[in-house]
Structures are given as structure tokens and as C-alpha cells.
Amino acid sequence: MSEQFVHPGLKSSDGSLASHYDLGLLDLDGVVYRGKDPVENAVEGISAAVTDGMNISYTTNNSSRDQKTVAAQIASFGLTVTPEQIITSSIAAARMLSHHLPKGSRVLCIGAEHLRTEVRKLGFTLVDDVTEKPQAVIQGWHPQITWQELAQAAFAVEAGAQYFVTNRDLTIPREYGIAPGSGSLVRAVITATGVEPVASAGKPEAAMYDEMRSMYADEGYDLVPTELSLPVGDRLDTDIEAANRGGYDSLVVLTGVADPRQLMLAEPLQRPTYISQDLRGLAQTHHAPEHVGENRYRLGSMVAQYSQGSLIVASLDSAQWHDAISTDTGSSEGADGVRLSTSAGNVALHSLDALRAACALSWSLADRGIDMSSANLPHFASVLDE
Ligand SMILES: [Mg+2]
């Protein structure tokens, strides 16, 4: 898919994102909360988005925490939320099963109680042993998973059961380091059987976004179309890639994993439609950087330009702008500018518009075959201002 995928670039929004898109599909960890605590400005951003008319839902690859537990945590921040606004990879996986198998089918289920409950809720019969002839295997993660369970999954898959998984995250960061995630245990079954899963519910697949929309429709609301739904996340390789795979626009926030350098170097399938510091971006109007000349993009007063292996960003407003870029342009724009960042500069940039302009430029150069990972890129501060 990545070879053919063409990203449309950063877009301008028609009013605030929350007034244009009917449904926000918010990732949780690194977006709404970090561990037990809310992410800075998340509550304010979500409240403003609701005021602008956006319905908010929450999506998580975590397959072991159920909707009520997650809803209680979000409510503890002072937000109004019902369990139905939350979709986990276990819920998406159970719904995925029902697209492939008739009700009453026997399903060998490995995972947390949450996954077992969701599979049972949709009318499947849970079995624990290959001798009960399961028609499908669904594999999630829980901390007490055993070799015996993985062996049963392998036996059933070898015997022809359809193989589904909640998510393929390879790692789980823990206090003492990186532990094997669900995807690592899925690989154990694949290695033993030579059989790949039929489908995975978790991001970077788009199933969770699609299933969340259909869950709202099941409750009697009109189905919100893909183009009026906005996935929001902190990871390019899961949240944003899932959006692109499913044909959704997306917003990335900088409160979690993604950082400015990753964004400037993102491959097409992992590029977002909008960039914000945090969830306050939902209630803001976004503007796309404009292509204003050879190897140059501009957004507001910020200009990004590339020459001789360096991508620089400068402000039109401040002194010595001319000095920064005049050599090959003869530009009459902005007479006196300060060079805010150059290949040799070590001043961190604080402007989000500068990052947006730098991304637009870097992506267009990468799409023309220039290796941006070896270019000098501007250095951004860890928190950026609108
Ligand atoms: Mg996250």
C-alpha cells in the first residue's frame, strides 16, 4: 500500500476542525491521558470541540481495559463521557469476527476477560480447547498468557480455524524496559503455523475507526461518513497510518510519541492532515502552507526554504530575513528578517506554523526523491506555540 499511497499534504480547514468534522476519534494514551493523569490542555480542547458541535469518541489499541474502566478515568478529569463513546481493540475485534462468521460459531479466545465478554456478547460460543473444534481463533493480550494457550491457538489454526488478532503492537514499554506486546506473541503463533492472521483490529488498520462509526449507527444515529470523521493521535505509525489506510483525514498532536523531526521525515502513509501542539487544535481553524516559490513554502509569517542540503525556517516579520534567503531568490518579500534557524543554528524554534511549513517543504522534497534524512533540518522546541 505504501508504494501507491499519495498523501494530499497539509490542508486548510473550513472553520474549526470541530465545526467541520462531525466525529472526533481520539486516541487516549499521549493524547487524552498519560498514565493516570490528563495530558495538558486535553480537557479544555475536548470541551471546546464539543461546544463547536463535534461528537467525541475514544479509540485505544489496549485490549485488556474495558469501556467502563476507561470511561471512569476520563470522567475523573471532569469530562462527560459514557462507556459507549469508547472503542477498544477487543470490541473492534469481536465486531470484526461477526463480519466473517455466523452467530453461534465456536471461537477459541485468548486474552483478557474484556475480550471474552465482547466475543460472547456478539453471540459466539467460547471454547478453550482445540478438541472442541473452534471455527475461529481470536488472540489478544493479557499478562497471564501461557504457553498452553498459545499452543491451543496454534493447534486450532493448523486445523483450519480462521485466525484473528486484536492488535499487532510488538512492544509494551514498562518500568524496566521494553516487554513483548501482543504482536510479538502473535508472531510466535505465525512462526509455529506458517499462517498469517485473517485480520487485525488494532491500529494501524482502520477497523477501529470504521467500527466506531458503525457503533454510532447501531444506536440509531446516521452513519457519519469517513470524510466527516477525524482520527486524532500521537503516533504516526499507528493512529495516523490507520487514518490514511482507511481514507480519513487526521490530526497529530505533539503531546505523546511524535516529534517535529519524525513529522518532517514521515513517509506518505504516516503523514497527518493537520498538526497541533495539543487537543486545543480541535477548536482551531487550520491553514495549509502555501507553495510560494522554488523549494519554498510559507504559512503566516513563517517561511521554509531548502537549498544545498539545508532546510531553514525564517520569519518574515523580523530582522535579517533577507540575509537568510536572498542569495538565490532576489525576493522582495519581507525586507528585514532574523534567521531563526539554519543548518548551523542551534536556536530552537517555537512556532507551530514554522513546523507546518517545514513539513510541507520536506514532504514535497522527499516525494521528488531527495533523501531528507540526511539533510540539515531545523531544530524545534519540545512545546510549540500557535
Ligand atoms: Mg497514543
Side-chain angles (χ1 to χ4, degrees):
M1 181 169 188
S2 51
E3 290 114 65
Q4 304 91 351
F5 183 79
V6 178
H7 189 269
L10 293 172
K11 288 186 186 171
S12 294
S13 66
D14 176 16
S16 75
L17 296 181
S19 61
H20 176 74
Y21 295 91
D22 289 341
L23 179 64
L25 296 152
L26 276 53
D27 178 53
L28 286 165
D29 209 5
V31 176
V32 176
Y33 54 60
R34 202 180 285 119
K36 287 195 289 290
D37 303 319
V39 161
E40 52 281 0
N41 304 312
V43 172
E44 179 189 339
I46 291 167
S47 304
V50 170
T51 303
D52 271 3
M54 181 180 252
N55 289 300
I56 300 290
S57 58
Y58 301 92
T59 70
T60 173
N61 263 15
N62 187 322
S63 66
S64 57
R65 294 175 83 214
D66 66 22
Q67 289 166 298
K68 275 189 187 147
T69 310
V70 176
Q73 182 177 1
I74 297 170
S76 77
F77 306 149
L79 288 163
T80 305
V81 60
T82 62
E84 293 71 33
Q85 285 172 267
I86 292 146
I87 187 165
T88 66
S89 60
S90 286
I91 296 171
R95 293 177 65 93
M96 201 171 67
L97 273 184
S98 66
H99 301 319
H100 288 86
L101 296 160
K103 263 192 182 139
S105 299
R106 293 179 303 283
V107 176
L108 181 83
C109 181
I110 297 176
E113 194 48 43
H114 171 46
L115 176 64
R116 300 176 67 85
T117 305
E118 295 301 326
V119 171
R120 212 182 284 121
K121 247 192 226 171
L122 292 182
F124 296 107
T125 305
L126 291 187
V127 301
D128 297 312
D129 196 288
V130 68
T131 58
E132 296 171 272
K133 298 199 171 13
Q135 287 140 305
V137 172
I138 175 93
Q139 181 179 343
W141 178 90
H142 68 115
Q144 280 79 42
I145 204 159
T146 66
W147 179 86
Q148 276 88 352
E149 288 177 303
L150 294 178
Q152 289 297 329
F155 300 152
V157 168
E158 281 167 56
Q162 295 187 64
Y163 183 32
F164 298 88
V165 301
T166 58
N167 70 83
R168 300 189 70 163
D169 300 0
L170 291 174
T171 57
I172 299 180
R174 279 291 189 263
E175 188 184 355
Y176 296 109
I178 301 295
S182 193
S184 294
L185 302 179
V186 167
R187 283 198 179 173
V189 174
I190 296 171
T191 304
T193 61
V195 177
E196 284 282 334
V198 175
S200 171
K203 299 174 252 185
E205 301 305 325
M208 266 204 282
Y209 302 148
D210 297 341
E211 293 297 343
M212 189 75 237
R213 291 187 300 117
S214 79
M215 279 161 68
Y216 274 109
D218 290 352
E219 289 174 41
Y221 298 100
D222 289 341
L223 182 68
V224 179
T226 305
E227 58 271 24
L228 291 181
S229 306
L230 185 70
V232 181
D234 69 309
R235 288 188 70 126
L236 305 181
D237 60 351
T238 54
D239 309 315
I240 304 304
E241 182 166 332
N244 285 324
R245 283 178 182 272
Y248 295 83
D249 289 342
S250 62
L251 166 69
V252 72
V253 291
L254 301 176
T255 45
V257 171
D259 63 32
R261 186 177 166 83
Q262 264 185 30
L263 270 167
M264 287 184 278
L265 297 177
E267 58 174 276
L269 198 56
Q270 299 189 352
R271 294 175 190 165
T273 318
Y274 308 103
I275 304 169
S276 285
Q277 173 57 35
D278 54 48
L279 286 179
R280 286 176 301 178
L282 283 174
Q284 288 160 358
T285 301
H286 290 241
H287 302 283
E290 264 180 283
H291 188 202
V292 289
E294 174 84 15
N295 295 338
R296 194 190 305 170
Y297 277 80
R298 172 178 175 176
L299 180 57
S301 65
M302 303 304 299
V303 176
Q305 169 154 320
Y306 179 80
S307 65
Q308 296 170 340
S310 289
L311 194 163
I312 64 167
V313 186
S315 167
L316 284 173
D317 295 338
S318 38
Q320 291 161 25
W321 148 250
H322 199 68
D323 177 47
I325 64 153
S326 62
T327 44
D328 62 342
T329 65
S331 167
S332 57
E333 290 175 305
D336 309 308
V338 170
R339 188 191 302 208
L340 293 183
S341 173
T342 69
S343 54
N346 53 9
V347 181
L349 289 156
H350 286 85
S351 161
L352 201 45
D353 278 351
L355 174 61
R356 292 165 176 146
C359 284
L361 175 57
S362 183
W363 298 348
S364 82
L365 292 165
D367 290 349
R368 282 185 275 144
I370 296 171
D371 173 17
M372 294 309 291
S373 65
S374 58
N376 290 310
L377 296 173
H379 173 58
F380 286 87
S382 56
V383 177
L384 304 182
D385 308 320
E386 280 292 339

